[in-house]
Amino acid sequence: MRFSISTRLTAATALLALTAPALSKDGAANAPRYGSFGVDLTSRDTAIAPGDDFWSFANGGWAKRTTIPADKAAIGYGNILTDEAEQNVRLILDDMAKNPTKYGATGKQVGDFYATWMDEAGIEAKGTEPLKPYLAKIAAVKDLTELQVLFASVGYQSPISISVIPNLADPTRYTAAVGQSGLGMPRDYYLLQGEKYDGYRKAYRAYIEKIQTLAGIPNAAAKAEAIFALETAMAKEHWSPEKSRDIAALNDPQDIAGLEAKAPEFDWALMLKTAGLDSSPKVLMANNTAIIAIGKIMVATPLDVWKDYMAYHFVSSTATFLPKAFDQASFDFYSATLSGVKTPRDRWKRGVQLTNGALGEAVGALYVARFFPPAAKAQMQELIENLRGSYQDRISKSSWMDDATRKAALVKLAAFEPRVGYPDKFLDYSSFKVVRGDMLGNAMRSAEFANALQLSRFPKPVDRSLWAMTPQTVNAYYSPLSNQITFPAAILQPPYFDPNADPAVNYGAIGAIIGHEMGHGFDDQGSQFGPTGKFENWWTPAAKAAFKERTAALAAQYDQFESLPGNKVNGKLTLGENIGDLGGLEAAYGAYQRYQAKHGKAKVINGLTGDQRFFMGWAQAWQTKLRDDAALARLRTDPHSPPLFRVNGVVRNMDAWYTAFNVKPGSKLYLAPEQRVHIW
């Protein structure tokens, strides 16, 4: 586990990708990708009233005619466009693999890495031989001291994560952080009762046994029971996903003496030295009560069980790089059982993902040059500034915020740093050794390279130019510790952003996503950070109380949404993302009004007003179908609400939506004006 306080759209809910401009049926390169103006009217189900179920009104026709592909846990605009993006990256990788010297030293690294993954016969021929030195290292552990050395070593499982983040008290400097880790399933899957979860637990024990058996580890069944019991004991101590969102609770900086006083079972000096972080004057002790309890579990558990646990997890975490039987076992449990996926993805698609993970910015430099139109960046900058202006208007006119807090909020808004497309400087991978034909070794060296890069930065001031995502990543994020919003090139495509589409649709889609990311600076987590990213209070008590009253009301609304029979949305877990969605769409609507004030009032198109097209753009951006198992997994762990409620849960709080679609009392989504939540 890597401890992170960044908030972002997940790939599972925002899978969109960069492609060349779409051609219309008559071959015109300047036509919107979807429909005649950016909305696909055939996706609607006009038998459903907008006020009863707006997501289904916008997407119901599509949902009826669409089947989730066998190799996917979900389907929607995003998945389709992601496939196209992967095709684009594949063009680059195939050429590099066939002509490894054509692109210089870095091109050879990329080509060799991808070609090694694609060489299934070569991986099969090596069998379990690549595992042996790593398993031997685990087997050689003689005591808890040596065990903890492996806990802190790159590539090995640990019940405690050790990582590097900007210091909450001074985000210009880095600090070490430790947190809970070490489970093979989501925490709740060990703990919740019911036939469904009993089935997951049974399948997981069988998977632990199978992975060990494939690796030639003896007594696999008995060891699987002991490993499962150990993980269950840790799961009982882990913080829940919603509790792990509490920044104030996570913020427990300690020096070595403080760590030793709280959790004396761990040799903190040894582990931090092994991790290369012993120079950190303070260590952020996140999930502190869980770490304290895990220390007691560590000394109460026989050493051999810990060694079996580490051997199993090493094989499981590297199964993708091993012969097909390992890879299939991992798919059968993690994809088929936990997410309901029927068949594995094509190997080349997985190779694209792996190469992006290992050498992403090297691929990204070529990706941007080949596929990212410069005009998109200019249009995004106008959108962002209109969103900033809209937030400024809304904050300035806020009825619940006092003057002191309002002034501080406007200072933070002005300090927002938007980043679009790609970083100014790409990473140098020259020290990463890629060996053609050594897949497991390449994967381990990739992890070691990333760790060494982080350690080289640790003593220096935080580099604000670094990106946490590659240009070809279909995602976006806000970092509260730097007060930056980042939009990689690959998200700037339809249905989120189409330079040829109606502005109303663009403001309802990418505009609302920009607003969403900016909104994270003012959600229940981000609002605890100041304009420079420092964890600090800039609220008066009265403003904080008013804010909490509104956010509690929003959480209560989402608590009522039933995503699957008997399974409701967790309003506290999803609160930050719901605030981002609500504030983002409201700010985007204001930004759209600013656009119309400058460019002229929108005309009616295909019977839809500009405001109606704005809200349709938002709804169709979240056009998604999920398998039940995948939906359940996300419900338990994902801080984002299901797509249905990202649409319906937001629009019912917006006065403009009621006017646009003439929604009246008696409609299923109707809320009386005094019940509607307005935060930003």
Side-chain angles (χ1 to χ4, degrees), residues 212-236:
Q212 292 180 102
T213 301
L214 290 171
I217 297 173
N219 303 317
K223 290 177 179 178
E225 287 295 335
I227 292 167
F228 181 80
L230 172 59
E231 291 189 21
T232 301
M234 290 193 291
K236 291 177 180 178

PDB file of all heavy atoms in Angstrom, residues 212-236:
ATOM      1  N   GLN A 212       0.563 -21.331  -3.937  1.00  0.00           N
ATOM      2  CA  GLN A 212       1.693 -22.019  -3.299  1.00  0.00           C
ATOM      3  C   GLN A 212       1.983 -23.344  -3.985  1.00  0.00           C
ATOM      4  O   GLN A 212       3.154 -23.714  -4.200  1.00  0.00           O
ATOM      5  CB  GLN A 212       1.385 -22.246  -1.818  1.00  0.00           C
ATOM      6  CG  GLN A 212       1.324 -20.973  -0.994  1.00  0.00           C
ATOM      7  CD  GLN A 212       1.019 -21.269   0.458  1.00  0.00           C
ATOM      8  OE1 GLN A 212       1.918 -21.254   1.303  1.00  0.00           O
ATOM      9  NE2 GLN A 212      -0.235 -21.565   0.751  1.00  0.00           N
ATOM     10  N   THR A 213       0.941 -24.067  -4.340  1.00  0.00           N
ATOM     11  CA  THR A 213       1.123 -25.354  -5.013  1.00  0.00           C
ATOM     12  C   THR A 213       1.843 -25.170  -6.340  1.00  0.00           C
ATOM     13  O   THR A 213       2.776 -25.924  -6.677  1.00  0.00           O
ATOM     14  CB  THR A 213      -0.236 -26.040  -5.241  1.00  0.00           C
ATOM     15  OG1 THR A 213      -0.877 -26.235  -3.970  1.00  0.00           O
ATOM     16  CG2 THR A 213      -0.067 -27.380  -5.934  1.00  0.00           C
ATOM     17  N   LEU A 214       1.431 -24.172  -7.115  1.00  0.00           N
ATOM     18  CA  LEU A 214       2.077 -23.904  -8.404  1.00  0.00           C
ATOM     19  C   LEU A 214       3.556 -23.565  -8.224  1.00  0.00           C
ATOM     20  O   LEU A 214       4.392 -23.894  -9.069  1.00  0.00           O
ATOM     21  CB  LEU A 214       1.365 -22.762  -9.117  1.00  0.00           C
ATOM     22  CG  LEU A 214      -0.033 -23.053  -9.660  1.00  0.00           C
ATOM     23  CD1 LEU A 214      -0.696 -21.766 -10.149  1.00  0.00           C
ATOM     24  CD2 LEU A 214       0.033 -24.074 -10.798  1.00  0.00           C
ATOM     25  N   ALA A 215       3.875 -22.899  -7.120  1.00  0.00           N
ATOM     26  CA  ALA A 215       5.257 -22.499  -6.861  1.00  0.00           C
ATOM     27  C   ALA A 215       6.083 -23.627  -6.249  1.00  0.00           C
ATOM     28  O   ALA A 215       7.286 -23.447  -6.015  1.00  0.00           O
ATOM     29  CB  ALA A 215       5.276 -21.290  -5.935  1.00  0.00           C
ATOM     30  N   GLY A 216       5.455 -24.781  -5.987  1.00  0.00           N
ATOM     31  CA  GLY A 216       6.173 -25.908  -5.413  1.00  0.00           C
ATOM     32  C   GLY A 216       6.385 -25.804  -3.922  1.00  0.00           C
ATOM     33  O   GLY A 216       7.265 -26.467  -3.357  1.00  0.00           O
ATOM     34  N   ILE A 217       5.576 -24.988  -3.250  1.00  0.00           N
ATOM     35  CA  ILE A 217       5.679 -24.827  -1.800  1.00  0.00           C
ATOM     36  C   ILE A 217       4.906 -25.966  -1.131  1.00  0.00           C
ATOM     37  O   ILE A 217       3.722 -26.160  -1.410  1.00  0.00           O
ATOM     38  CB  ILE A 217       5.122 -23.461  -1.366  1.00  0.00           C
ATOM     39  CG1 ILE A 217       5.960 -22.340  -1.971  1.00  0.00           C
ATOM     40  CG2 ILE A 217       5.071 -23.344   0.155  1.00  0.00           C
ATOM     41  CD1 ILE A 217       5.395 -20.950  -1.747  1.00  0.00           C
ATOM     42  N   PRO A 218       5.545 -26.743  -0.252  1.00  0.00           N
ATOM     43  CA  PRO A 218       4.872 -27.898   0.359  1.00  0.00           C
ATOM     44  C   PRO A 218       3.841 -27.495   1.404  1.00  0.00           C
ATOM     45  O   PRO A 218       3.831 -26.363   1.892  1.00  0.00           O
ATOM     46  CB  PRO A 218       6.030 -28.670   1.003  1.00  0.00           C
ATOM     47  CG  PRO A 218       7.065 -27.624   1.296  1.00  0.00           C
ATOM     48  CD  PRO A 218       6.951 -26.626   0.182  1.00  0.00           C
ATOM     49  N   ASN A 219       2.943 -28.444   1.726  1.00  0.00           N
ATOM     50  CA  ASN A 219       1.912 -28.255   2.758  1.00  0.00           C
ATOM     51  C   ASN A 219       1.076 -27.003   2.490  1.00  0.00           C
ATOM     52  O   ASN A 219       0.766 -26.218   3.401  1.00  0.00           O
ATOM     53  CB  ASN A 219       2.545 -28.169   4.155  1.00  0.00           C
ATOM     54  CG  ASN A 219       3.367 -29.398   4.489  1.00  0.00           C
ATOM     55  OD1 ASN A 219       2.948 -30.524   4.212  1.00  0.00           O
ATOM     56  ND2 ASN A 219       4.541 -29.188   5.054  1.00  0.00           N
ATOM     57  N   ALA A 220       0.704 -26.825   1.239  1.00  0.00           N
ATOM     58  CA  ALA A 220       0.043 -25.592   0.816  1.00  0.00           C
ATOM     59  C   ALA A 220      -1.296 -25.384   1.511  1.00  0.00           C
ATOM     60  O   ALA A 220      -1.654 -24.243   1.851  1.00  0.00           O
ATOM     61  CB  ALA A 220      -0.139 -25.586  -0.695  1.00  0.00           C
ATOM     62  N   ALA A 221      -2.070 -26.448   1.736  1.00  0.00           N
ATOM     63  CA  ALA A 221      -3.397 -26.296   2.325  1.00  0.00           C
ATOM     64  C   ALA A 221      -3.311 -25.774   3.756  1.00  0.00           C
ATOM     65  O   ALA A 221      -4.021 -24.828   4.138  1.00  0.00           O
ATOM     66  CB  ALA A 221      -4.148 -27.624   2.287  1.00  0.00           C
ATOM     67  N   ALA A 222      -2.443 -26.365   4.565  1.00  0.00           N
ATOM     68  CA  ALA A 222      -2.298 -25.941   5.959  1.00  0.00           C
ATOM     69  C   ALA A 222      -1.749 -24.519   6.031  1.00  0.00           C
ATOM     70  O   ALA A 222      -2.193 -23.698   6.851  1.00  0.00           O
ATOM     71  CB  ALA A 222      -1.383 -26.902   6.705  1.00  0.00           C
ATOM     72  N   LYS A 223      -0.806 -24.242   5.163  1.00  0.00           N
ATOM     73  CA  LYS A 223      -0.232 -22.892   5.160  1.00  0.00           C
ATOM     74  C   LYS A 223      -1.264 -21.860   4.713  1.00  0.00           C
ATOM     75  O   LYS A 223      -1.274 -20.727   5.214  1.00  0.00           O
ATOM     76  CB  LYS A 223       1.000 -22.858   4.259  1.00  0.00           C
ATOM     77  CG  LYS A 223       2.181 -23.643   4.838  1.00  0.00           C
ATOM     78  CD  LYS A 223       3.380 -23.669   3.908  1.00  0.00           C
ATOM     79  CE  LYS A 223       4.537 -24.441   4.546  1.00  0.00           C
ATOM     80  NZ  LYS A 223       5.719 -24.524   3.658  1.00  0.00           N
ATOM     81  N   ALA A 224      -2.114 -22.227   3.779  1.00  0.00           N
ATOM     82  CA  ALA A 224      -3.159 -21.305   3.331  1.00  0.00           C
ATOM     83  C   ALA A 224      -4.081 -20.931   4.483  1.00  0.00           C
ATOM     84  O   ALA A 224      -4.472 -19.763   4.626  1.00  0.00           O
ATOM     85  CB  ALA A 224      -3.960 -21.927   2.187  1.00  0.00           C
ATOM     86  N   GLU A 225      -4.445 -21.896   5.316  1.00  0.00           N
ATOM     87  CA  GLU A 225      -5.310 -21.612   6.463  1.00  0.00           C
ATOM     88  C   GLU A 225      -4.627 -20.652   7.425  1.00  0.00           C
ATOM     89  O   GLU A 225      -5.249 -19.722   7.949  1.00  0.00           O
ATOM     90  CB  GLU A 225      -5.670 -22.919   7.182  1.00  0.00           C
ATOM     91  CG  GLU A 225      -6.653 -23.797   6.433  1.00  0.00           C
ATOM     92  CD  GLU A 225      -8.027 -23.145   6.279  1.00  0.00           C
ATOM     93  OE1 GLU A 225      -8.393 -22.279   7.106  1.00  0.00           O
ATOM     94  OE2 GLU A 225      -8.728 -23.491   5.310  1.00  0.00           O
ATOM     95  N   ALA A 226      -3.340 -20.858   7.676  1.00  0.00           N
ATOM     96  CA  ALA A 226      -2.609 -20.001   8.612  1.00  0.00           C
ATOM     97  C   ALA A 226      -2.456 -18.586   8.047  1.00  0.00           C
ATOM     98  O   ALA A 226      -2.582 -17.592   8.779  1.00  0.00           O
ATOM     99  CB  ALA A 226      -1.239 -20.604   8.915  1.00  0.00           C
ATOM    100  N   ILE A 227      -2.182 -18.485   6.752  1.00  0.00           N
ATOM    101  CA  ILE A 227      -2.037 -17.170   6.115  1.00  0.00           C
ATOM    102  C   ILE A 227      -3.361 -16.423   6.149  1.00  0.00           C
ATOM    103  O   ILE A 227      -3.419 -15.230   6.470  1.00  0.00           O
ATOM    104  CB  ILE A 227      -1.533 -17.332   4.668  1.00  0.00           C
ATOM    105  CG1 ILE A 227      -0.096 -17.861   4.659  1.00  0.00           C
ATOM    106  CG2 ILE A 227      -1.630 -16.005   3.908  1.00  0.00           C
ATOM    107  CD1 ILE A 227       0.376 -18.355   3.303  1.00  0.00           C
ATOM    108  N   PHE A 228      -4.439 -17.140   5.843  1.00  0.00           N
ATOM    109  CA  PHE A 228      -5.757 -16.506   5.859  1.00  0.00           C
ATOM    110  C   PHE A 228      -6.110 -16.034   7.267  1.00  0.00           C
ATOM    111  O   PHE A 228      -6.654 -14.943   7.455  1.00  0.00           O
ATOM    112  CB  PHE A 228      -6.822 -17.468   5.344  1.00  0.00           C
ATOM    113  CG  PHE A 228      -8.197 -16.864   5.301  1.00  0.00           C
ATOM    114  CD1 PHE A 228      -8.574 -16.035   4.262  1.00  0.00           C
ATOM    115  CD2 PHE A 228      -9.114 -17.104   6.319  1.00  0.00           C
ATOM    116  CE1 PHE A 228      -9.840 -15.449   4.231  1.00  0.00           C
ATOM    117  CE2 PHE A 228     -10.374 -16.536   6.299  1.00  0.00           C
ATOM    118  CZ  PHE A 228     -10.738 -15.704   5.248  1.00  0.00           C
ATOM    119  N   ALA A 229      -5.803 -16.842   8.281  1.00  0.00           N
ATOM    120  CA  ALA A 229      -6.085 -16.461   9.673  1.00  0.00           C
ATOM    121  C   ALA A 229      -5.282 -15.215  10.064  1.00  0.00           C
ATOM    122  O   ALA A 229      -5.795 -14.321  10.755  1.00  0.00           O
ATOM    123  CB  ALA A 229      -5.760 -17.619  10.610  1.00  0.00           C
ATOM    124  N   LEU A 230      -4.025 -15.144   9.615  1.00  0.00           N
ATOM    125  CA  LEU A 230      -3.190 -13.982   9.908  1.00  0.00           C
ATOM    126  C   LEU A 230      -3.773 -12.722   9.268  1.00  0.00           C
ATOM    127  O   LEU A 230      -3.887 -11.669   9.921  1.00  0.00           O
ATOM    128  CB  LEU A 230      -1.769 -14.228   9.388  1.00  0.00           C
ATOM    129  CG  LEU A 230      -0.801 -13.043   9.431  1.00  0.00           C
ATOM    130  CD1 LEU A 230      -0.635 -12.521  10.852  1.00  0.00           C
ATOM    131  CD2 LEU A 230       0.553 -13.440   8.832  1.00  0.00           C
ATOM    132  N   GLU A 231      -4.163 -12.812   8.014  1.00  0.00           N
ATOM    133  CA  GLU A 231      -4.720 -11.644   7.334  1.00  0.00           C
ATOM    134  C   GLU A 231      -6.059 -11.223   7.954  1.00  0.00           C
ATOM    135  O   GLU A 231      -6.365 -10.026   8.039  1.00  0.00           O
ATOM    136  CB  GLU A 231      -4.870 -11.924   5.842  1.00  0.00           C
ATOM    137  CG  GLU A 231      -3.530 -12.039   5.126  1.00  0.00           C
ATOM    138  CD  GLU A 231      -3.677 -12.090   3.615  1.00  0.00           C
ATOM    139  OE1 GLU A 231      -4.723 -11.650   3.088  1.00  0.00           O
ATOM    140  OE2 GLU A 231      -2.749 -12.578   2.947  1.00  0.00           O
ATOM    141  N   THR A 232      -6.839 -12.203   8.377  1.00  0.00           N
ATOM    142  CA  THR A 232      -8.117 -11.876   9.022  1.00  0.00           C
ATOM    143  C   THR A 232      -7.884 -11.121  10.324  1.00  0.00           C
ATOM    144  O   THR A 232      -8.594 -10.150  10.634  1.00  0.00           O
ATOM    145  CB  THR A 232      -8.926 -13.155   9.292  1.00  0.00           C
ATOM    146  OG1 THR A 232      -9.169 -13.829   8.051  1.00  0.00           O
ATOM    147  CG2 THR A 232     -10.259 -12.834   9.954  1.00  0.00           C
ATOM    148  N   ALA A 233      -6.882 -11.549  11.085  1.00  0.00           N
ATOM    149  CA  ALA A 233      -6.554 -10.861  12.338  1.00  0.00           C
ATOM    150  C   ALA A 233      -6.142  -9.416  12.058  1.00  0.00           C
ATOM    151  O   ALA A 233      -6.529  -8.489  12.791  1.00  0.00           O
ATOM    152  CB  ALA A 233      -5.440 -11.609  13.062  1.00  0.00           C
ATOM    153  N   MET A 234      -5.365  -9.210  11.002  1.00  0.00           N
ATOM    154  CA  MET A 234      -4.957  -7.837  10.661  1.00  0.00           C
ATOM    155  C   MET A 234      -6.144  -7.021  10.155  1.00  0.00           C
ATOM    156  O   MET A 234      -6.272  -5.828  10.469  1.00  0.00           O
ATOM    157  CB  MET A 234      -3.834  -7.867   9.622  1.00  0.00           C
ATOM    158  CG  MET A 234      -2.508  -8.382  10.171  1.00  0.00           C
ATOM    159  SD  MET A 234      -1.101  -8.059   9.073  1.00  0.00           S
ATOM    160  CE  MET A 234      -1.461  -9.156   7.697  1.00  0.00           C
ATOM    161  N   ALA A 235      -7.009  -7.658   9.367  1.00  0.00           N
ATOM    162  CA  ALA A 235      -8.174  -6.944   8.829  1.00  0.00           C
ATOM    163  C   ALA A 235      -9.049  -6.405   9.956  1.00  0.00           C
ATOM    164  O   ALA A 235      -9.627  -5.318   9.840  1.00  0.00           O
ATOM    165  CB  ALA A 235      -8.980  -7.871   7.927  1.00  0.00           C
ATOM    166  N   LYS A 236      -9.162  -7.148  11.040  1.00  0.00           N
ATOM    167  CA  LYS A 236      -9.971  -6.708  12.173  1.00  0.00           C
ATOM    168  C   LYS A 236      -9.426  -5.428  12.801  1.00  0.00           C
ATOM    169  O   LYS A 236     -10.167  -4.688  13.460  1.00  0.00           O
ATOM    170  CB  LYS A 236     -10.051  -7.815  13.225  1.00  0.00           C
ATOM    171  CG  LYS A 236     -10.861  -9.031  12.779  1.00  0.00           C
ATOM    172  CD  LYS A 236     -10.840 -10.133  13.831  1.00  0.00           C
ATOM    173  CE  LYS A 236     -11.648 -11.342  13.380  1.00  0.00           C
ATOM    174  NZ  LYS A 236     -11.594 -12.456  14.371  1.00  0.00           N
TER     175      LYS A 236
END
